[in-house]
């Protein structure tokens, strides 16, 4: 039975053109009329390759990059089937590149806003008109479900402390996250400004605390108070009065001790705990954290903080904080800072028992913070089934309920706004990006790679108040090209914020919108920008068209032949020789990703639960690695649920997201020191089963990528050296304006790319 394919119109036209040209029926650019029978005969000559060969359609005379011979190097998994769908099906066929403006401010006019594919921003005021211009413009309301950021348009407001939380700003004190607290050593009246406590070292000046009646976790008679001074010698806290603007609006008066709450008397033994701030460097102390865990206390209305946030989103998804409704189509939510684990430096007491727990129960292994965020997403999906939900963390979960994530800072391994980006875990980052693109079960898939790297052309990306005067000025546009090229290696969106110096202009690159009609006098040039008429930019935004294949690694077949594997027994076909474990057990099971089955290594989970990744590990053979030499590691792995592990080898520790099905990963390391290194999979922190198979270690690089689209190709050099890549045919460079040396408009059959750089080419 013939393999069935769904071809784009351009693919069909190119295939037929070449076949007909071979039969001397017409030249490539001529027109011809053929009958249905003749068409059937022509199509019958096509040898189509099935999905087992990657689903690539060989098109006679059309240059397509070919896969290497080894399947263990093909680290692009198939996509899961959607179990729910929000209905925005046109996203499934939206052409590439897909460009978003994220974490943005509505400072552009409607015409300027209309040229992007997607907006994720806080204030939708000007986007309504932009959607009138571009009816396919996706709008995701930017909300923060974890972090209180003063009373602004993208976070649940806080106006006062109450027994029940409401969407208008009343907040039950138990719906916040606190650090591990202590008790009062003596009673206080409602006017006392000095608070005697059992341990003053738990508190910091200029931060806020909650005081409430015992027992811990009751939050009875709770009040919020700001600390002005801490005396660890006397174990006392001095609190400051709550200043309020008086009725004349021109001077401050004092409103007693309580901050957005009423001061009351508290007996000795009452509870006091300091608020956790999401930004640990927050100088105001008001960047409080909502408690989304499964152990969040319920308010007087029997609701959790997550319940209140869901109710608020249902009402305010298309409104400003004032209640003003915006006439705009909201396609869904982009949630920011929705961490699936609580950072250790928060010292959080999530279950309010006066002990640090960071959202994990060490006695049971229960991740009640992680599971709570998952439950919040599930509740929101039930309440708003036709809205897309995009998580804000690179390692977010919610695989059954959310459509994808935003990978902020993609793909650097150091600070987002750095002018000296580092890419030491670039292959792990690419694999994590693909894990989200291909494993979320809520359709359509929408994962965004968000780059914030300053460049030569756009040096002022970082807001001025955060800029480091010691940071060198950017010298290249490669950080943009590399991040953009990496994003195009899978089916996500790419975005940059209009932050820093570009709030009023936005960041827009030549590569976003290119004219590829060969009959146009503007062929190969970027679409012209016009703040009063962006029609040309809109018309050519998806200029690459649809992808013809998945990304393909370019590597030496000889170097990556199995005979050159530097470790023994990476297939576990006869034994576990060379492998050991700490705090788990290992066995062989007949569950393998290899064709025809086989054996794999199996770890059933932690012997004794430990929240530390490092204390539970699967350890493989030791390999002597040479400093400065690149090595490539390939393996197949799965868990019984989507989770994060740490891969440790060559002096580097890299975060790896693995799904609940077999997934192939390829990772590279360049050790700084010549030494013996053991392959180590650190699988603590969560208690899941792990399967491992097809483990290879090679000397050499497999970090050059190509991917074909209807109208072009993306080529990415993710190595630390300049590389020349043969294209196997002729391609046209973009005739650029912003970086005319790189995008010089020439016809080429090979490209030379500096380390960590990329190029987009037009198919001739």
């Amino acid at each position: 039975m013939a393999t069935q394919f769904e071809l784009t119109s351009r693919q069909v036209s190119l295939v037929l053109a070449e076949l007909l040209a071979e039969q001397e029926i017409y030249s490539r650019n001529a027109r011809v009329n053929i009958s249905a029978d003749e068409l059937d005969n022509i199509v019958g000559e096509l040898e189509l390759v099935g999905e087992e060969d990657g689903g690539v359609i060989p098109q006679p005379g059309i240059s397509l990059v070919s896969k290497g011979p080894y399947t263990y190097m093909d680290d692009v998994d198939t996509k899961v089937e959607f179990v729910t769908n929000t209905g925005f099906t046109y996203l499934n066929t939206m052409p590439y590149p897909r460009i978003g403006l994220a974490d943005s401010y509505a400072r552009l006019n409607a015409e300027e806003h209309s040229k992007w594919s997607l907006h994720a921003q806080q204030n939708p005021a000007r986007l309504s008109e932009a959607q009138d211009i571009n009816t396919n413009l996706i709008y995701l309301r930017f909300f923060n479900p974890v972090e209180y950021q003063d009373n602004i348009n993208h976070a649940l407001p806080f106006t006062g402390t109450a027994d029940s939380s409401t969407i208008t700003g009343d907040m039950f004190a138990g719906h916040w996250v606190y650090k591990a607290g202590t008790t009062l050593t003596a009673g206080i009246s409602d006017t006392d400004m000095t608070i005697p406590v059992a341990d003053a070292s738990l508190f910091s000046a200029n931060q806020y605390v909650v005081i409430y009646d015992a027992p811990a976790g009751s939050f009875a008679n709770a009040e919020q108070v700001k600390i002005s001074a801490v005396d660890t010698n006397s174990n006392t806290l001095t609190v400051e009065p709550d200043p309020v603007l008086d009725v004349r609006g021109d001077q401050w008066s004092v409103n007693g001790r309580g901050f957005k709450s009423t001061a009351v008397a508290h007996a000795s033994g009452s509870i006091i705990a300091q608020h956790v701030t999401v930004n640990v460097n927050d100088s105001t102390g008001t960047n409080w954290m909502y408690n989304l865990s499964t152990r969040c206390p319920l308010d007087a209305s029997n609701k959790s903080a997550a319940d209140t946030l869901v109710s608020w989103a249902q009402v305010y998804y298309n409104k400003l904080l004032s209640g003003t409704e915006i006439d705009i189509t909201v396609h869904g939510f982009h949630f920011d800072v929705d961490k699936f684990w609580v950072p250790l430096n928060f010292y959080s007491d999530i279950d309010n028992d006066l002990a640090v727990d960071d959202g994990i129960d060490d006695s049971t292994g229960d991740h009640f913070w992680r599971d709570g965020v998952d439950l919040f997403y599930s509740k929101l999906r039930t309440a708003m089934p036709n809205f897309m939900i995009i998580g804000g963390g690179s390692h977010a979960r919610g695989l059954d309920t959310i459509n994808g994530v935003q990978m902020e800072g993609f793909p650097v391994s150091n600070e987002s706004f750095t002018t000296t980006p580092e890419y030491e875990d670039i292959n792990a980052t690419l694999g994590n990006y693909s894990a989200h693109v291909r494993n979320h079960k809520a359709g359509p898939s929408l994962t965004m790679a968000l780059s914030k790297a300053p460049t030569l052309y756009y040096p002022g990306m970082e807001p001025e108040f955060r800029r480091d005067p010691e940071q060198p000025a950017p010298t290249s546009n490669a950080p943009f090209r590399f991040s953009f090229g990496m994003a195009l290696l899978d089916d996500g969106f790419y975005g940059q914020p209009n932050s820093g110096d570009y709030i009023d202009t936005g960041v827009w690159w030549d590569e976003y919108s290119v004219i590829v009609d060969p009959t146009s006098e503007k062929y190969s040039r970027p679409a012209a920008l016009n703040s009063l008429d962006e029609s040309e930019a809109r018309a050519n935004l998806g200029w690459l068209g649809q992808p013809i294949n998945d990304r393909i690694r370019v590597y030496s077949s000889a170097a990556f032949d199995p005979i050159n594997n530097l470790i023994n027994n990476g297939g576990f076909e006869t034994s576990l020789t060379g492998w050991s474990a700490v705090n788990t057990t290992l066995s062989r099971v007949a569950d393998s990703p290899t064709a025809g089955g086989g054996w794999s290594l199996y770890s059933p989970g932690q012997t004794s639960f430990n929240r530390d990744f490092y204390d539970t590990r699967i350890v493989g053979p030791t390999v002597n690695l040479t400093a400065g030499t690149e090595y490539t590691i390939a393996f197949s792995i799965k868990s019984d649920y989507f989770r994060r592990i740490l891969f440790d080898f060559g002096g580097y520790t890299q975060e790896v997201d693995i799904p609940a099905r077999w997934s192939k990963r390829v990772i590279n390391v360049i050790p700084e020191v010549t030494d013996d290194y053991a392959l180590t999979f650190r699988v603590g922190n969560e208690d899941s089963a792990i399967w491992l198979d097809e483990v290879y270690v090679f000397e050499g690089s497999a970090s050059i990528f190509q991917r074909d689209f209807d109208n072009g190709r993306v080529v990415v050099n993710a190595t630390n050296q300049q590389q020349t890549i043969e294209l196997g045919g002729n391609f046209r460079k973009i005739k650029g304006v912003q970086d005319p040396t790189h995008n010089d408009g020439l016809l080429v059959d090979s490209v030379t790319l500096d380390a960590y750089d990329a190029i987009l080419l037009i198919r001739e």
Side-chain angles (χ1 to χ4, degrees):
M1 181 177 178
T3 305
Q4 298 296 309
F5 283 90
E6 206 172 282
L7 305 182
T8 67
S9 59
R10 176 166 174 81
Q11 289 167 347
V12 170
S13 65
L14 289 173
V15 172
L16 294 180
E18 292 297 335
L19 284 172
L20 293 171
E22 287 177 3
Q23 299 175 19
E24 299 182 343
I25 295 175
Y26 72 55
S27 67
R28 178 133 181 201
N29 295 318
R31 293 181 178 273
V32 67
N33 294 318
I34 59 175
S35 68
D37 289 340
E38 290 173 314
L39 180 61
D40 287 340
N41 290 335
I42 293 168
V43 173
E45 295 184 26
L46 293 175
E47 293 183 2
L48 300 179
V49 180
E51 283 202 19
E52 66 274 15
D53 296 313
V56 178
I57 307 164
Q59 302 174 20
I62 300 169
S63 176
L64 295 179
V65 63
S66 300
K67 278 187 179 182
Y70 306 120
T71 58
Y72 47 79
M73 298 298 294
D74 298 337
D75 60 333
V76 184
D77 301 323
T78 59
K79 293 182 180 178
V80 299
E81 294 290 329
F82 296 140
V83 296
T84 60
N85 204 305
T86 55
F88 304 113
T89 55
Y90 66 87
L91 265 180
N92 297 324
T93 56
M94 179 181 286
Y96 292 81
R98 299 173 174 183
I99 307 299
L101 188 60
D103 294 3
S104 60
Y105 303 88
R107 298 277 287 269
L108 285 66
N109 66 38
E111 188 69 32
E112 291 170 308
H113 277 302
S114 73
K115 65 179 179 284
W116 274 272
S117 308
L118 175 150
H119 280 275
Q121 63 174 238
Q122 306 147 8
N123 187 338
R126 297 183 184 175
L127 291 181
S128 175
E129 296 176 36
Q131 282 186 338
D132 291 337
I133 300 168
N134 178 2
T135 57
N136 287 327
L137 178 61
I138 301 164
Y139 173 55
L140 301 177
R141 187 71 187 271
F142 181 100
F143 277 147
N144 199 317
V146 174
E147 180 181 7
Y148 170 67
Q149 296 180 322
D150 210 342
N151 292 332
I152 52 180
N153 285 310
H154 61 277
L156 180 66
F158 171 45
T159 57
T161 302
D163 291 335
S164 293
S165 295
T166 67
I167 64 173
T168 55
D170 290 332
M171 186 59 61
F172 173 54
H175 286 174
W176 303 108
V177 173
Y178 303 94
K179 297 185 178 185
T182 186
T183 58
L184 304 189
T185 56
I188 58 173
S189 71
D190 61 354
T191 59
D192 286 339
M193 306 302 284
T194 300
I195 313 296
V197 297
D199 185 357
S201 68
L202 299 174
F203 303 92
S204 302
N206 299 314
Q207 297 295 309
Y208 288 83
V209 300
V210 64
I211 308 173
Y212 62 92
D213 298 344
S218 76
F219 294 97
N221 292 319
E223 62 173 298
Q224 310 288 352
V225 175
K226 185 176 183 180
I227 303 172
S228 60
V230 177
D231 189 334
T232 55
N233 292 322
S234 63
N235 272 328
T236 57
L237 310 176
T238 303
V239 300
E240 67 180 45
D242 179 30
V244 295
L245 204 60
D246 73 7
V247 294
R248 292 175 295 173
D250 59 2
Q251 66 183 41
W252 293 90
S253 60
V254 172
N255 190 37
R257 186 178 65 207
F259 170 72
K260 295 188 179 182
S261 58
T262 301
V264 296
H266 297 282
S268 177
S270 293
I271 310 301
I272 182 169
Q274 184 173 310
H275 274 271
V276 166
T277 56
V278 178
N279 179 354
V280 294
N281 298 315
D282 174 38
S283 60
T284 69
T286 58
N287 185 220
W288 298 355
M289 185 173 179
Y290 299 113
N291 191 336
L292 294 187
S293 77
T294 57
R295 299 190 185 183
C296 174
L298 302 182
D299 64 15
S301 300
N302 205 36
K303 291 185 176 181
S304 66
D307 293 328
T308 303
L309 283 159
V310 169
S311 297
W312 176 71
Q314 285 181 282
V315 174
Y316 279 89
Y317 73 92
N318 65 341
K319 293 180 180 178
L320 303 180
L321 187 65
S322 63
T324 301
E325 186 171 330
I326 304 299
D327 181 19
I328 189 171
T329 299
V330 179
H331 298 85
F333 303 101
H334 165 217
F335 287 124
D336 191 30
V337 200
D338 48 350
K339 301 177 184 293
F340 271 75
W341 61 91
V342 180
L344 299 180
N345 61 346
F346 282 15
Y347 306 104
S348 304
D349 173 22
I350 305 294
D351 63 1
N352 300 296
D353 64 354
L354 305 186
V356 174
D357 54 50
D358 300 315
I360 302 173
D361 188 330
D362 288 319
S363 65
T364 64
D366 178 20
H367 275 250
F368 48 90
W369 178 267
R370 176 202 66 193
D371 294 342
V373 178
D374 233 349
L375 181 60
F376 164 66
Y377 284 142
S378 180
K379 289 181 175 182
L380 184 63
R381 171 61 66 211
T382 299
M384 306 183 75
N386 296 322
F387 285 72
M388 289 188 288
I389 305 172
I390 312 302
S394 297
H395 302 283
R397 307 297 171 82
L399 275 292
D400 292 332
T401 53
I402 70 175
N403 300 75
V405 301
Q406 180 195 89
M407 300 190 69
E408 189 169 356
F410 181 90
V412 301
S413 56
N414 51 344
E415 294 297 322
S416 291
F417 289 106
T418 182
T419 61
T420 55
E422 297 173 2
Y423 303 111
E424 61 189 28
D425 56 356
I426 190 64
N427 276 279
T429 299
L430 177 61
N432 295 340
Y433 171 59
S434 289
H436 284 288
V437 168
R438 295 176 175 269
N439 284 286
H440 284 267
K441 297 179 182 178
S445 173
L446 202 168
T447 285
M448 174 180 283
L450 181 68
S451 169
K452 295 185 173 182
T455 56
L456 181 63
Y457 196 81
Y458 288 113
M461 291 285 288
E462 186 170 18
E464 190 169 358
F465 71 92
R466 293 177 52 180
R467 292 178 191 169
D468 180 359
E470 309 252 333
Q471 183 167 250
T475 59
S476 169
N477 294 317
F480 153 69
R481 292 191 298 263
F482 183 59
S483 61
F484 190 36
M486 290 288 289
L488 285 167
L489 295 179
D490 216 321
D491 297 343
F493 277 71
Y494 177 81
Q496 290 190 305
N498 64 329
S499 56
D501 296 340
Y502 314 111
I503 291 178
D504 295 314
T505 60
V507 174
W508 186 269
W509 290 94
D510 285 349
E511 287 89 339
Y512 285 177
S513 182
V514 179
I515 298 168
V516 293
D517 177 1
T519 66
S520 171
E521 61 181 12
K522 296 182 178 180
Y523 174 63
S524 80
R525 296 180 182 274
L529 299 183
N530 182 340
S531 63
L532 300 180
D533 180 5
E534 299 286 14
S535 57
E536 186 168 288
R538 289 193 302 272
N540 294 281
L541 181 58
W543 66 273
L544 280 173
Q546 293 296 324
I548 296 174
N549 50 26
D550 292 326
R551 68 171 177 266
I552 292 174
R553 289 181 179 269
V554 179
Y555 57 87
S556 164
S557 298
F560 287 84
D561 188 293
I563 63 173
N564 292 318
N565 190 1
L566 297 179
I567 67 166
N568 295 317
N569 195 27
F572 314 108
E573 292 306 308
T574 60
S575 72
L576 294 174
T577 300
W579 293 81
S580 61
V582 176
N583 196 36
T584 186
T585 59
L586 302 181
S587 62
R588 292 168 58 243
V589 294
D591 183 356
S592 172
T594 57
W599 294 85
S600 65
L601 177 151
Y602 173 70
S603 162
Q606 300 191 57
T607 303
S608 176
F609 178 79
N610 195 309
R611 67 172 61 197
D612 194 324
F613 279 103
Y614 291 82
D615 290 339
T616 304
R617 53 193 182 270
I618 300 168
V619 183
T622 296
V623 185
N624 184 264
L625 305 182
T626 302
T629 300
E630 184 168 356
Y631 296 86
T632 299
I633 307 94
F635 54 88
S636 293
I637 193 167
K638 76 170 180 174
S639 173
D640 50 8
Y641 58 82
F642 192 98
R643 63 160 297 182
R644 178 179 55 144
I645 67 167
L646 302 181
F647 176 71
D648 195 346
F649 189 59
Y652 293 95
T653 299
Q654 305 185 48
E655 297 178 329
V656 178
D657 290 335
I658 55 175
R661 58 178 182 140
W662 281 109
S663 179
K664 295 179 181 178
R665 302 304 297 266
V666 176
I667 291 176
N668 68 309
V669 297
I670 306 174
E672 296 180 358
V673 178
T674 298
D675 204 346
D676 292 333
Y677 296 93
L679 279 167
T680 305
F681 298 84
R682 302 191 182 276
V683 296
N685 185 260
E686 301 185 68
D687 194 12
S688 75
I690 297 289
W691 291 257
L692 183 66
D693 202 3
E694 297 185 298
V695 186
Y696 298 86
V697 178
F698 298 103
E699 181 178 331
S701 174
S703 298
I704 296 172
F705 302 91
Q706 299 192 55
R707 191 183 191 194
D708 286 299
F709 294 80
D710 289 337
N711 302 318
R713 179 181 293 180
V714 58
V715 184
V716 180
N717 176 17
T719 77
N720 66 346
Q721 300 177 26
Q722 186 183 82
Q723 304 282 352
T724 297
I725 301 103
E726 299 295 329
L727 302 174
N730 290 332
F731 288 81
R732 176 77 60 183
K733 290 185 179 182
I734 297 168
K735 183 66 173 175
V737 176
Q738 295 167 327
D739 198 335
T741 302
H742 191 81
N743 292 321
D744 56 20
L746 294 178
L747 188 67
V748 295
D749 58 10
S750 67
V751 290
T752 298
L753 295 176
D754 288 337
Y756 306 115
D757 205 344
I759 192 166
L760 275 67
L761 301 167
I762 302 167
R763 188 178 300 283
E764 281 284 300

